[in-house]
């Protein structure tokens, strides 16, 4: 039971010394190399004290102190910090009863507020000596709960790390595919560029020959045209007749040359034909992310249905038991 005042959450468990166990010694005496059994415990300072040291402690230690009597014969009293578990969180009072009808702990206020009609109400101090034995199974179940919860935590951390690693792998895979595609485009660009360079080089020679021939014809005609004005104004009839015939002949000659130049002066129009597969790919997403359902972090088995969505096959036995227990045990 709680002692040392209404707000204290510490209590003493009295047991007889067995098997030659050594009694608890006085802490101040121990520091003076003396072995004096402790008679009390100062729960305020967490010190084991003999009678003499208790008096000095009360006089010289500042503040108020709560002393718990220790069985001088056994010296086996142990202070247990229940961390508030022995206190009702609704009323801030120590638990005094257990309602067997609802399997819940009650303080005196809980008893009058919620459990006045309950048939099986027992005082905690009257539970008997079988409490230790009945504690074994709940403790084992709680240990199993702790183990399972730790598994969930470990699985969550492992899954998170796996997700991060898989993300990096996917990003690298996309980069690799991108590099492969860029390399393919670079190869196409290089190959087509080489073909165009080869054609332009060879066609430059052809166009040069056409240009030189056209320039030669033009020079000949320009030379004749340069004297036509003088001949028309100042030339004799013979000179005019010669010019007239020459113009006809050179015009016929130039026409023939121009026809030859026209036949050789073709134009090549280059077009780029893309693969139909590439054009189709450019209209569709290059890649999509597919989610594959895996076993959950709770350790349940899953199976993919027709839509690829995981269905739980089973729930861990501990989780079912723990769910039932948390539904039935309520702390007021």
């Amino acid at each position: 039971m709680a002692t040392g005042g209404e707000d204290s959450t510490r209590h003493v468990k009295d047991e007889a010394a067995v098997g030659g166990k050594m009694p608890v010694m006085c802490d101040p005496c121990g520091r003076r190399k003396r072995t004096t059994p402790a008679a009390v415990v100062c729960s305020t300072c967490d010190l084991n004290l003999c009678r003499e040291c208790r008096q000095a402690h009360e006089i010289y230690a500042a503040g108020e102190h709560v002393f718990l009597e220790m069985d001088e014969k056994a010296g086996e009293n142990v202070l247990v910090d229940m961390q508030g578990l022995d206190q009702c969180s609704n009323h801030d009072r120590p638990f005094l009863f257990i309602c067997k009808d609802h399997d819940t702990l009650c303080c005196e206020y809980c008893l009058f507020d919620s459990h006045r009609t309950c048939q099986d109400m027992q005082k905690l101090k009257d539970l008997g000596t079988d409490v230790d034995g009945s504690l074994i199974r709940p403790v084992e179940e709680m240990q199993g709960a702790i183990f399972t919860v730790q598994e969930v935590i470990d699985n969550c951390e492992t899954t998170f790390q796996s997700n991060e690693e898989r993300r990096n792998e996917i990003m690298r895979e996309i980069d690799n595919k991108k590099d492969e595609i860029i390399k393919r485009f670079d190869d196409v660009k290089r190959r087509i560029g080489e073909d165009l360079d080869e054609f332009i080089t060879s066609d430059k020679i052809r166009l040069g020959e056409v240009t030189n021939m056209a320039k030669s014809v033009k020079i000949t005609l320009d030379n004749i045209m340069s004297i036509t004005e003088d001949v028309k104004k100042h030339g004799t009839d013979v000179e005019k007749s010669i010019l007239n015939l020459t113009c006809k002949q050179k015009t016929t000659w130039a026409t023939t040359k121009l026809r030859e130049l026209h036949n050789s002066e073709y134009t090549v129009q280059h077009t780029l034909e893309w693969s139909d597969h590439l054009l189709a790919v450019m209209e569709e997403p290059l890649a999509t992310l597919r989610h594959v359902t895996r076993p959950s972090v709770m350790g349940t088995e899953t199976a993919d249905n027709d839509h690829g969505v995981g269905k739980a096959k089973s729930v861990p036995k501990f989780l079912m038991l723990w769910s039932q227990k948390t539904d039935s045990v309520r702390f007021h």
Side-chain angles (χ1 to χ4, degrees):
M1 298 301 299
T3 59
E6 292 181 353
D7 296 333
S8 175
T9 61
R10 309 173 71 113
H11 64 272
V12 178
K13 179 181 177 184
D14 296 318
E15 295 179 352
V18 294
K21 292 183 179 178
M22 293 296 295
V24 177
M25 296 300 171
C26 174
D27 292 330
C29 290
R31 288 193 288 270
R32 290 179 291 172
K33 308 300 182 182
R34 295 167 56 184
T35 56
T36 307
V40 295
V41 177
C42 176
S43 60
T44 305
C45 302
D46 196 16
L47 280 176
N48 300 316
L49 304 167
C50 64
R51 298 293 180 187
E52 180 182 353
C53 291
R54 171 186 172 164
Q55 294 178 358
H57 189 72
E58 283 184 293
I59 296 173
Y60 297 108
E64 295 191 8
H65 303 269
V66 177
F67 296 97
L68 307 176
E69 291 291 332
M70 183 178 290
D71 188 339
E72 295 181 354
K73 180 180 179 181
E76 287 290 324
N77 293 330
V78 179
L79 286 174
V80 177
D81 184 359
M82 292 295 289
Q83 300 182 10
L85 294 179
D86 57 347
Q87 296 284 318
C88 174
S89 59
N90 292 331
H91 304 109
D92 197 22
R93 300 285 294 176
F95 288 124
L96 301 177
F97 308 94
I98 180 169
C99 176
K100 292 291 186 177
D101 293 347
H102 296 95
D103 196 19
T104 186
L105 296 167
C106 308
C107 68
E108 63 268 31
Y109 292 153
C110 294
L111 176 64
F112 291 106
D113 290 346
S114 307
H115 300 275
R116 282 179 293 178
T117 60
C118 295
Q119 300 298 318
D120 193 356
M121 183 71 67
Q122 296 184 23
K123 294 183 178 180
L124 289 175
K125 67 179 182 179
D126 296 336
L127 289 179
T129 59
D130 61 339
V131 176
D132 287 344
S134 63
L135 186 62
I136 295 176
R137 184 172 179 179
V139 170
E140 290 178 347
E141 290 182 353
M142 180 165 288
Q143 288 175 340
I146 294 173
F147 178 79
T148 302
V149 170
Q150 185 60 48
E151 278 190 331
V152 172
I153 295 172
D154 294 342
N155 287 337
C156 287
E157 293 176 352
T158 301
T159 300
F160 177 77
Q161 184 178 1
S162 177
N163 290 339
E164 288 288 315
E165 293 175 354
R166 184 56 187 149
R167 178 194 181 279
N168 295 334
E169 291 176 0
I170 290 176
M171 293 299 102
R172 287 194 295 269
E173 184 176 347
I174 293 175
D175 288 337
N176 291 337
K177 288 297 181 183
K178 182 184 73 172
D179 293 340
E180 291 178 7
I181 293 174
I182 292 176
K183 185 177 182 300
R184 295 288 299 276
F185 274 98
D186 289 341
D187 291 341
V188 170
K189 181 179 179 181
R190 177 188 53 76
R191 177 176 55 81
I192 293 179
E194 290 175 353
D195 291 345
L196 287 172
D197 290 341
E198 183 179 354
F199 172 81
I200 291 174
T201 300
S202 61
D203 204 45
K204 183 178 181 180
I205 298 174
R206 180 187 65 83
L207 294 175
E209 293 175 352
V210 173
T211 301
N212 292 335
M213 185 179 294
K215 287 181 178 180
S216 176
V217 171
K218 185 175 183 297
I219 290 172
T220 300
L221 297 179
D222 287 341
N223 289 337
I224 296 173
M225 287 296 296
S226 64
I227 64 174
T228 55
E229 292 297 327
D230 289 341
V231 172
K232 284 192 298 182
K233 290 180 180 181
H234 308 291
T236 63
D237 293 339
V238 174
E239 291 174 340
K240 291 180 180 179
S241 297
I242 293 173
L243 179 62
N244 185 41
L245 181 60
T246 301
C247 287
K248 289 181 180 180
Q249 292 176 344
K250 292 301 181 181
T251 300
T252 301
W253 170 79
T255 301
T256 302
K257 289 294 184 182
L258 288 174
R259 189 178 295 113
E260 294 177 359
L261 293 176
H262 179 73
N263 292 336
S264 62
E265 190 185 2
Y266 56 85
T267 301
V268 178
Q269 180 66 40
H270 300 283
T271 60
L272 193 60
E273 296 183 0
W274 294 96
S275 168
D276 293 338
H277 297 292
L278 177 60
L279 295 178
V281 168
M282 293 178 65
E283 296 177 358
E284 298 291 337
L286 292 180
T288 56
L289 186 62
R290 179 171 177 264
H291 299 279
V292 180
T293 303
R294 299 182 298 175
S296 72
V297 294
M298 299 298 289
T300 56
E301 297 180 2
T302 58
D304 288 344
N305 59 19
D306 295 338
H307 302 287
V309 179
K311 289 184 176 180
K313 286 184 177 178
S314 62
V315 177
K317 182 178 180 182
F318 151 72
L319 292 178
M320 293 189 293
L321 295 174
W322 190 250
S323 176
Q324 295 170 1
K325 189 166 290 297
T326 53
D327 287 340
S328 61
V329 177
R330 295 171 298 174
F331 294 93
H332 295 286

